[in-house]
Amino acid sequence: MKQKLIYGFAENKGHLTMDGIDVIPLAEQYGTPLIVISENRIRNNIRMLVNAVSSNFENYEIKYAVKANPNPSILSIVKEEGLGIDASSMNEATLAIKLGFKPENILFTPNFAARDELLWASNTGLSINFDSVGQLTQVSGNVPESVSFRIKIDYGKGEFKGTTTSGHNAKFGILEKEAVDAYKMAKKFGARKFGIHVMAGSNVMDPDHFRKVTESVLTVMNNISEHAGIEFDFVDLGGGLGVPYEPDEQPLDLKKVFEIIHTSFKKILGDRPFPRLCIEPGRYVVADSSILIGKVTDVKIQEKKFLGSDISMNTLIRPALYGARHHIVLANKLDNQIKGKYEVVGQICENTDRIGKAVPLPNPEVGDIIAVFDAGAYVASMASNYNGRPIPAEVLISDSGEEIIRSPSTFSDYVRNYIFIGSEKTGLNAGKSS
Ligand code: LLP
């Protein structure tokens, strides 16, 4: 049996291709580990989303969750496609503003933010999605015109425990029973436009999840309208739209998801006008747009067969952090037969540094190229320099060819911010790259 590919990828003479480009020479050209991104896939993902939402809702807004992947070239594509922004920190919001996103199209959803950051957001004209009543009171004299609260509904579901962001164990949001008073307070402090927000979990493949989330939050919203006399401008259902991480997994039925959300709006709101529907996809926009490629550095046959490569947990932390799985192939041996199952491991001194477990592969040799799929979301954005290992370069494939959009981190980056006592002797300068 040969290795399977994720939908949309192809083979040419045993090599993995992406949008018609052989990825194997890229490893030599740019070095490994390397992230290769397809501009077309990002645009297609956004267009599929817009299509599914707009078939059911007239008044809607899609805000890209920067945390999934903040590469400025990707943000520019997202902007060209007409999306707004979900920002979780001052740096994310500042990046978006510098790239030309308008403050009114940015929803600021920090978690346990310090007062200064909230004041900055308010003074910058962002709409703030408060995570607690305490955070609202910290900026009582500087409340923005548009205010929402993140509601911790009883129900939460993400692919993993660590990516479930509502329900009783979640650190996010205000309790349903706090909501009426929270909105009364926001009104008293001068807010003029109101929204309501929920984010129940990430990478959800079950369309019915979105019914539960929508019905729960709209019920809370109705209660607030009734008891605090507030008209709602928007309902934000957060992110969570899942993508397949394995070749045989069915994609999420987007059309069905938004039909279900529409039915829930009708059920809870009846003939009343619908507030604007907002969603904040991160993963759906970028996950399948990218692959991570690396070089096999060693093969060790013990009671388990270890395939070691330069793709490590500092670059892809999801398997170690959540037990996440990513499909992996030997990208230069797609015409070879699968011969065994390998623990695909990296170069970090941690035994959790495993990128894939029991991965069926042809016989690997040093110098082969491995490709890890679905590397566009929460990969580069969660990467670190742990063990002194670099953060990879990123190459964008578009209709006009390929272009590097992030250089690999270097030794200078690794030591950049250290202020080293005794710098004369070592050549390491205070706060300067060497
Ligand atoms: N909006 C808010 C307020 C969020 O907290 C998140 C993600 C999103 C939108 C985007 O969610 P998405 O569409 O990507 O599911 N690092 C984890 C995912 C954590 C998601 C946290 N919040 C992972 O690698 O699976």
Side-chain angles (χ1 to χ4, degrees), residues 141-409:
N142 285 275
V143 165
E145 189 193 18
S146 170
V147 163
S148 53
F149 284 93
R150 179 170 181 162
I151 308 292
K152 176 150 102 175
I153 55 173
D154 283 343
Y155 163 79
K157 179 174 159 180
E159 184 184 11
F160 309 108
K161 211 169 149 216
T163 54
T164 298
T165 49
S166 195
H168 80 279
N169 191 36
K171 67 164 181 153
F172 306 97
I174 65 168
L175 301 173
E176 291 182 16
K177 63 179 184 205
E178 294 177 289
V180 170
D181 287 344
Y183 279 87
K184 279 185 183 162
M185 198 183 278
K187 202 168 155 184
K188 196 177 90 196
F189 290 159
R192 292 284 160 265
K193 284 184 180 168
F194 299 93
I196 190 163
H197 178 279
V198 61
M199 165 71 197
S202 195
N203 204 32
V204 182
M205 298 300 279
D206 171 16
D208 198 52
H209 161 83
F210 298 93
R211 179 187 61 75
K212 292 183 189 134
V213 170
T214 310
E215 291 185 5
S216 303
V217 77
L218 289 180
T219 306
V220 178
M221 185 186 88
N222 270 351
N223 191 40
I224 300 165
S225 290
E226 194 181 323
H227 293 99
I230 278 173
E231 288 296 316
F232 278 85
D233 185 38
F234 69 87
V235 175
D236 190 323
L237 301 180
L241 297 167
V243 301
Y245 276 83
E246 272 156 25
D248 298 325
E249 222 179 322
Q250 287 304 308
L252 181 65
D253 187 344
L254 266 194
K255 195 168 159 275
K256 192 163 168 194
V257 169
F258 288 96
E259 279 167 10
I260 286 176
I261 295 175
H262 186 266
T263 307
S264 303
F265 266 65
K266 272 266 160 233
K267 178 175 162 193
I268 308 290
L269 300 180
D271 292 331
R272 275 170 290 163
F274 290 0
R276 184 165 70 259
L277 169 72
C278 298
I279 54 164
E280 301 169 343
R283 190 186 313 272
Y284 196 87
V285 173
V286 284
D288 71 0
S289 73
S290 309
I291 55 170
L292 174 57
I293 59 178
K295 226 174 240 153
V296 176
T297 50
D298 201 4
V299 180
K300 223 158 54 171
I301 309 298
Q302 299 177 342
E303 62 271 42
K304 276 188 174 159
K305 298 177 185 170
F306 293 102
L307 179 161
S309 89
D310 53 11
I311 297 177
S312 309
M313 67 189 287
N314 69 303
T315 300
L316 174 60
I317 200 170
R318 304 187 68 252
L321 193 57
Y322 314 115
R325 74 260 185 260
H326 282 257
H327 187 58
I328 301 172
V329 295
L330 272 184
N332 59 326
K333 289 188 170 166
L334 295 181
D335 49 359
N336 289 19
Q337 296 294 317
I338 290 172
K339 285 285 165 55
K341 290 196 169 165
Y342 291 81
E343 291 286 292
V344 177
V345 299
Q347 303 172 314
I348 300 293
C349 302
E350 298 271 352
N351 210 26
T352 51
D353 181 20
R354 287 162 203 247
I355 303 302
K357 293 186 175 165
V359 182
L361 294 172
N363 284 336
E365 291 161 287
V366 172
D368 280 345
I369 302 298
I370 67 166
V372 180
F373 292 87
D374 289 303
Y378 307 111
V379 178
S381 64
M382 294 175 80
S384 78
N385 263 135
Y386 186 40
N387 273 205
R389 295 289 174 193
I391 293 176
E394 295 174 32
V395 166
L396 183 72
I397 295 179
S398 62
D399 289 341
S400 48
E402 92 233 5
E403 211 174 337
I404 184 147
I405 59 168
R406 185 182 197 176
S407 356
S409 67

Side-chain angles (χ1 to χ4, degrees), residues 1-182:
M1 205 166 65
K2 291 211 254 171
Q3 304 174 86
K4 288 183 180 169
L5 298 180
I6 292 274
Y7 169 79
F9 289 86
E11 174 197 339
N12 187 16
K13 301 196 179 97
H15 285 190
L16 178 66
T17 65
M18 198 169 168
D19 294 348
I21 291 189
D22 184 344
V23 304
I24 305 304
L26 300 180
E28 225 26 78
Q29 196 177 339
Y30 298 99
T32 53
L34 176 72
I35 296 178
V36 190
I37 307 156
S38 156
E39 174 168 346
N40 284 337
R41 275 182 95 125
I42 297 175
R43 291 195 190 274
N44 285 345
N45 289 342
I46 295 175
R47 289 172 194 177
M48 282 189 304
L49 255 177
V50 169
N51 188 29
V53 181
S54 63
S55 310
N56 290 283
F57 289 87
E58 277 168 25
N59 187 9
Y60 69 89
E61 204 174 348
I62 303 177
K63 295 168 190 278
Y64 171 66
V66 180
K67 58 175 84 73
N69 191 327
N71 188 303
S73 301
I74 292 180
L75 288 176
S76 299
I77 297 169
V78 165
K79 182 164 176 290
E80 274 177 27
E81 294 292 327
L83 268 50
I85 289 292
D86 157 46
S88 65
S89 68
M90 187 162 100
N91 281 346
E92 285 186 357
T94 302
L95 178 60
I97 290 169
K98 281 190 184 295
L99 291 167
F101 287 92
K102 298 208 176 72
E104 60 265 34
N105 298 124
I106 301 176
L107 183 65
F108 191 57
T109 302
N111 186 231
F112 292 98
R115 180 167 181 266
D116 285 354
E117 200 174 358
L118 295 168
L119 285 177
W120 172 84
S122 189
N123 293 333
T124 307
L126 309 185
S127 175
I128 301 186
N129 184 31
F130 285 97
D131 193 48
S132 74
V133 178
Q135 298 242 288
L136 175 74
T137 53
Q138 285 192 41
V139 292
S140 55
N142 285 275
V143 165
E145 189 193 18
S146 170
V147 163
S148 53
F149 284 93
R150 179 170 181 162
I151 308 292
K152 176 150 102 175
I153 55 173
D154 283 343
Y155 163 79
K157 179 174 159 180
E159 184 184 11
F160 309 108
K161 211 169 149 216
T163 54
T164 298
T165 49
S166 195
H168 80 279
N169 191 36
K171 67 164 181 153
F172 306 97
I174 65 168
L175 301 173
E176 291 182 16
K177 63 179 184 205
E178 294 177 289
V180 170
D181 287 344

